[in-house]
Amino acid sequence: MSAEAPPIPRFPAAVLEAFASRLLAAAGVAPDQAASVTENLIWNDAAGRHNHGFDRLPAMLERLRDGTIAGGAAMRFSDIAPTLARLDAAGGFGQHAGRLAIDRAVGLARAEGVGIVGVANSHFFGTGAFFVARAAAAGMIAFAFSNSYAKVAAHGGSHPVLGTNPLAFAAPRGAADPLIVDFSTASLAGSTQRAGGEMPEGAVDEATGALKPAAGAKGFGLALMVEVLAGVLTGAGIGREVGSLYSPGTRPADSGHLFMVLDPARWLGPEAFVARMETLVDMVASSGPDGAVRLPGAARAEALRMSAAQGIGLTPATLAALGHLAGAYGIDPLPA
């Protein structure tokens, strides 16, 4: 009989926030960017998306040290139309650019019924779910698109041409957990491939190591849609022009993001929209045996509630990496 794995250490969000704030300040990150990065990392670890949480911080600080990410970037909006805006992220952290952009899109939607904000000259932004959840909490329907470092082959191709190009969608449900859909358009997440281990059959081109698109031509069609919206339309890098968080360089990754927000109150009124959402949810839930059909995002919502009650779990590998960073930057480590 194998021994049970030791429990994963858990920390209150306030403890992680204080640690990350000290670390990013010691690394020279401007306070506004540091606050956005910290909030984003904590949310993703709390939601169980550890590959987009503190696990990413060592690589992000490496890019900060080599000048690829600008820790003091002065990001600037330019208005295109009453419902449209563009954000130049100035090579700063994608988590901060994304927060600024989704909040501007929500504000535009509240004023005009719809808000669309494109971002260029950015970096890896975490999960799209974080941003659309933020909009859903404000009663909005939201979409988030981001292009990324090329590691996915075209359908029928063999060499990397596009990134894993995630997309996310959220719809509010009043007091209930919002509907949140968030997925990579590749056969698997890039972080899964980077972690090593055996790849699922058919997920990788055996000759080149390129990831294949999810669901063949359908997944590649979605990936192209994301590339057009997040890369071509925003003026950001396209395809192989986008840099990697994990490769040293002297220029920003130039990832692009696009956020689209709709105010359902302009269509039906908030009460009518939520009522119709619950009709849809009930139809979906009752389409199988009790408890067998779950909405996208249900597991994430449960993880967030558990983390709020019990603390946020960090893996031993992540804790070791954070301990090393604490020593390197001369700050106190997380409590044992």
Side-chain angles (χ1 to χ4, degrees), residues 89-181:
F93 285 95
Q95 290 88 348
H96 184 55
R99 185 187 66 76
L100 292 179
I102 193 65
D103 288 354
R104 175 63 69 93
V106 166
L108 292 173
R110 200 176 301 285
E112 303 291 342
V114 60
I116 304 175
V117 178
V119 182
N121 199 10
S122 186
H123 287 270
F124 164 77
F125 76 171
T127 59
F130 171 83
F131 302 105
V132 297
R134 192 177 181 92
M140 302 290 174
I141 294 171
F143 300 81
F145 309 93
S146 182
N147 69 355
S148 54
Y149 178 71
K151 59 179 66 175
V152 182
H155 179 61
S158 57
H159 294 280
V161 64
L162 295 182
T164 55
N165 288 17
L167 62 90
F169 165 79
R173 293 178 53 207
D177 296 325
L179 170 65
I180 298 181
V181 178

Side-chain angles (χ1 to χ4, degrees), residues 208-231:
T208 65
L211 293 175
K212 294 184 179 181
K218 294 180 181 180
F220 189 65
L222 287 173
L224 279 173
M225 177 193 74
V226 173
E227 196 71 32
V228 170
L229 293 173

Side-chain angles (χ1 to χ4, degrees), residues 197-209:
E198 187 175 352
M199 293 292 103
E201 184 176 355
V204 177
D205 186 283
E206 294 183 359
T208 65

Side-chain angles (χ1 to χ4, degrees), residues 44-93:
N44 279 293
D45 272 314
R49 295 297 302 273
H50 301 297
N51 55 341
H52 290 78
F54 279 91
D55 178 66
R56 296 272 182 157
L57 193 52
M60 291 162 61
L61 291 183
E62 284 183 16
R63 300 291 72 78
L64 182 73
R65 287 194 297 271
D66 69 23
T68 305
I69 294 178
M75 301 185 185
R76 291 184 173 84
F77 282 103
S78 55
D79 294 326
I80 304 172
T83 60
L84 307 176
R86 180 184 291 113
L87 176 64
D88 178 359
F93 285 95

Side-chain angles (χ1 to χ4, degrees), residues 278-295:
E278 292 316 292
T279 297
L280 173 62
V281 168
D282 290 343
M283 288 179 181
V284 172
S286 63
S287 65
D290 287 347
V293 179
R294 306 184 73 197
L295 288 176

